[in-house]
Amino acid sequence: MGAIAIDPQSNRAEIDHGNCVECYQCYRGMSQEHLNPTLVRSLRTVLGWMRLRFEPEPDVCPTAAFEPDELTWPRVVRRAFSDVTSTHESTGVHGRGTEEVKTNDVTHRVGPGEAGLVVEFGRPGVGVWFRDIDRMTAALADAGAEFEPNNPVTQLMADRSRGKVRTDILDEKVLSAIVEIKVPLSGVEEILEVVETVGPRLQTVVSLGIGAVCGPGASNPLPELLSRRGYPVIRGKTNLGLGRVTNPTETALHVAK
Amino acid sequence: MTNTLHRSGQPEDLKDDYILFAMCTRGRNDLGASERLREFLRICARHHPVNMGDGKNGSIFRPSRHLNPLAHWRRPANGSVEDVIEGITTPTTAAAVFDNPDSLYECLQEVRAADLGLSINISALVEDAVNCSRRAGIEPHAVEYSLGFMGNTSQLADANTLSLTTMCGHGMVASAFAQKMIDWVKTRRKSAAECARYMSRFCVCGVFNPVRAERLLCRMANQEPGG
């Protein structure tokens, strides 16, 4: 994100809170030494005078300088979508909070003759403002897309039928966010056209995934359709179909209610 | 685990990268899932994965909260297969990374026999994943294809950097850090294996493939692996 940089005035690392997506990686991902900051700075200064540079481990914060902020609404949305260890309340899934076809053997959300599209914004490593997501979801809704209700972005829409994201989070930036759509196989190309048209107008990148259930002999209807449109169909996720409902029926009923 | 979908690279560059992961669905098969996820990882551990982890507690490679300055010369390992397995106490996503299809196949056979009732997925070249699962007697249920990156792609890092950073699809390995690691290997300030480990520590889910990272870093620096 480029949110942390050395400020030339103070000669200290500063966090640009506008660009920070609250992924907490600076706090959680760095190893720590808890050394005295004055001692560390003095040593570096003395070494600098001698034209020497210490080459430390690159993933260690010697002074354990980072502290997580207490976040309030709407900024807390940044953490929900950017911190991989936080769990989305709407889905119970951490990371971006989506299940897609990964659990389709249990949920059967995408059935035969249907496709599940996963439109991911900001990935890899660019980040996205919710106003850009709003532009795409509005265009997708105009094309008749049906948003997956059990998805964190859908939960933040003020008007699902128009694909409009609630206005108080439009100026929030997250590392990435995923919109899930289910369409009949006959409607896949129309949705792809919308993404291809709107995508280049956004201030971010879009990663696209599409899944469908397999037929006999592991056949899949998508490769032919996608190859015709020039998409690579090389890598993906294969759900092996080993999952099943194991909870007692009462629990499943309770959740359904 | 969409974080495993869009790994960047040519097909021949993805031949040492196979991720097997298990997850449950809230309200459907999450009761008692923690023990079954631990069992899944125990099975994976028997087949020599190059990384393992779960989305909440971290991987085999993890940062330390209490290093002392000697770590710059002799850095203790922090995290192990046992830590990953025993760390699972609530339903989560458990993953293991293999660097060859034979290990994946042998692991799949055991996972199938264990009948855990969890959703099991392979993230890899689709052809290899389907072949492997059918060899193990499993007919795939569904496939999700990566269609790559579009939109304002001028903001993307270069192909070499992406091949490293996209191994953590959550974006926890920063482009600038990966570029620094490439430079350090090229200038022989650190070995490719060390730089691969540095990057692995930032990937909480344990899906970063340090073997592939080392191979790619060596190639970028025109070095022999292990050199």
Side-chain angles (χ1 to χ4, degrees):
Chain A
M1 292 302 101
I4 303 176
I6 304 290
D7 180 68
Q9 303 299 320
S10 65
N11 204 26
R12 303 273 173 85
E14 301 281 351
I15 297 174
D16 172 356
H17 288 274
N19 270 321
C20 171
V21 293
E22 305 289 357
C23 66
Y24 282 38
Q25 192 66 340
C26 56
Y27 172 71
R28 189 190 51 244
M30 301 283 283
S31 293
Q32 299 175 354
E33 287 179 314
H34 301 274
L35 300 180
N36 181 298
T38 307
L39 173 72
V40 171
R41 273 197 294 272
S42 302
L43 269 172
R44 285 178 175 174
T45 304
V46 171
L47 288 170
W49 288 337
M50 297 158 70
R51 294 291 185 267
L52 292 174
R53 188 172 62 179
F54 177 49
E55 187 166 275
E57 294 280 275
D59 60 334
V60 175
C61 179
T63 58
F66 294 102
E67 289 288 340
D69 289 332
E70 281 291 321
L71 302 178
T72 55
W73 184 266
R75 194 169 175 91
V76 71
V77 169
R78 296 188 184 217
R79 186 181 180 203
F81 282 86
S82 307
D83 180 356
V84 62
T85 62
S86 70
T87 302
H88 287 270
E89 291 302 318
S90 58
T91 61
V93 180
H94 49 260
R96 270 72 55 102
T98 60
E99 293 190 348
E100 309 144 44
V101 302
K102 295 170 291 195
T103 56
N104 201 65
D105 48 350
V106 175
T107 62
H108 299 288
R109 224 162 57 180
V110 177
E114 295 175 327
L117 277 114
V118 182
V119 185
E120 184 168 1
F121 304 88
R123 174 187 185 172
V126 175
V128 59
W129 301 89
F130 265 97
R131 69 176 90 93
D132 271 334
I133 298 174
D134 179 70
R135 275 184 205 131
M136 180 67 87
T137 51
L140 289 168
D142 284 345
E146 181 192 330
F147 299 105
E148 163 58 42
N150 196 28
N151 167 284
V153 174
T154 311
Q155 301 276 331
L156 290 170
M157 288 182 184
D159 184 346
R160 285 184 200 178
S161 62
R162 293 172 54 225
K164 298 303 289 179
V165 176
R166 51 188 294 172
T167 53
D168 54 347
I169 63 166
L170 292 179
D171 288 330
E172 296 301 329
K173 185 183 181 185
V174 296
L175 195 53
S176 65
I178 296 175
V179 170
E180 291 173 274
I181 304 160
K182 187 171 77 171
V183 289
L185 284 170
S186 57
V188 166
E189 294 203 66
E190 192 181 349
I191 296 296
L192 290 177
E193 270 169 29
V194 172
V195 177
E196 289 163 6
T197 307
V198 177
R201 297 183 206 147
L202 305 179
Q203 296 301 306
T204 188
V205 288
V206 178
S207 310
L208 203 55
I210 181 168
V213 295
C214 298
S219 62
N220 195 291
L222 290 174
E224 188 190 339
L225 186 157
L226 296 171
S227 299
R228 204 169 58 230
R229 290 190 71 87
Y231 285 105
V233 281
I234 300 160
R235 202 184 179 287
K237 277 181 303 199
T238 305
N239 181 324
L240 302 181
L242 299 177
R244 64 175 190 280
V245 176
T246 56
N247 287 7
T249 316
E250 293 81 3
T251 311
L253 283 173
H254 175 72
V255 170
K257 281 177 190 170
Chain B
M1 282 287 141
T2 314
N3 59 327
T4 67
L5 183 60
H6 301 291
R7 284 157 108 93
S8 186
Q10 295 301 310
E12 59 273 17
D13 256 342
L14 295 161
K15 287 281 185 189
D16 54 0
D17 194 34
Y18 302 88
I19 304 141
L20 187 67
F21 63 91
M23 62 190 295
C24 57
T25 306
R26 183 153 68 176
R28 308 283 177 95
N29 58 357
D30 57 339
L31 292 181
S34 303
E35 176 49 33
R36 286 180 284 148
L37 287 163
R38 285 195 293 269
E39 179 58 21
F40 168 77
L41 287 181
R42 281 187 205 108
I43 294 169
C44 293
R46 289 197 280 272
H47 299 281
H48 314 295
V50 295
N51 201 355
M52 271 172 58
D54 83 83
K56 285 182 179 170
N57 298 299
S59 73
I60 295 173
F61 307 92
R62 29 180 95 177
S64 169
R65 311 303 282 177
H66 299 285
L67 286 181
N68 68 46
L70 292 175
H72 295 280
W73 291 271
R74 297 176 68 179
R75 184 142 180 199
N78 188 46
S80 65
V81 169
E82 291 73 28
D83 288 338
V84 173
I85 294 170
E86 297 312 318
I88 295 182
T89 53
T90 53
T92 179
T93 305
V97 185
F98 299 94
D99 64 352
N100 67 86
D102 292 332
S103 294
L104 174 68
Y105 160 68
E106 287 161 16
C107 185
L108 270 184
Q109 281 189 310
E110 229 184 299
V111 168
R112 182 193 175 207
D115 191 23
L116 300 168
L118 300 166
S119 294
I120 310 286
N121 291 250
I122 302 170
S123 185
L125 295 170
V126 175
E127 190 181 355
D128 287 357
V130 170
N131 288 342
C132 226
S133 59
R134 298 191 82 189
R135 255 178 84 199
I138 302 166
E139 282 297 321
H141 163 74
V143 178
E144 182 173 339
Y145 296 92
S146 164
L147 304 189
F149 310 124
M150 54 182 77
N152 197 337
T153 52
S154 62
Q155 298 190 52
L156 285 175
D158 63 281
N160 278 344
T161 306
L162 282 177
S163 67
L164 295 169
T165 58
T166 54
M167 282 196 276
C168 172
H170 283 128
M172 297 291 110
V173 179
S175 296
F177 187 69
Q179 284 158 2
K180 184 176 189 170
M181 294 297 96
I182 296 169
D183 285 344
W184 277 22
V185 176
K186 280 182 178 173
T187 52
R188 294 190 179 269
R189 289 167 68 177
K190 293 281 183 185
S191 72
E194 284 174 301
C195 290
R197 274 199 298 277
Y198 293 137
M199 289 187 282
S200 300
R201 287 195 192 101
F202 284 98
C203 174
V204 178
C205 301
V207 298
F208 190 92
N209 183 335
V211 171
R212 178 170 182 249
E214 183 182 350
R215 180 176 61 76
L216 292 174
L217 284 167
C218 285
R219 192 179 64 194
M220 291 169 204
N222 291 321
Q223 292 176 12
E224 289 296 318

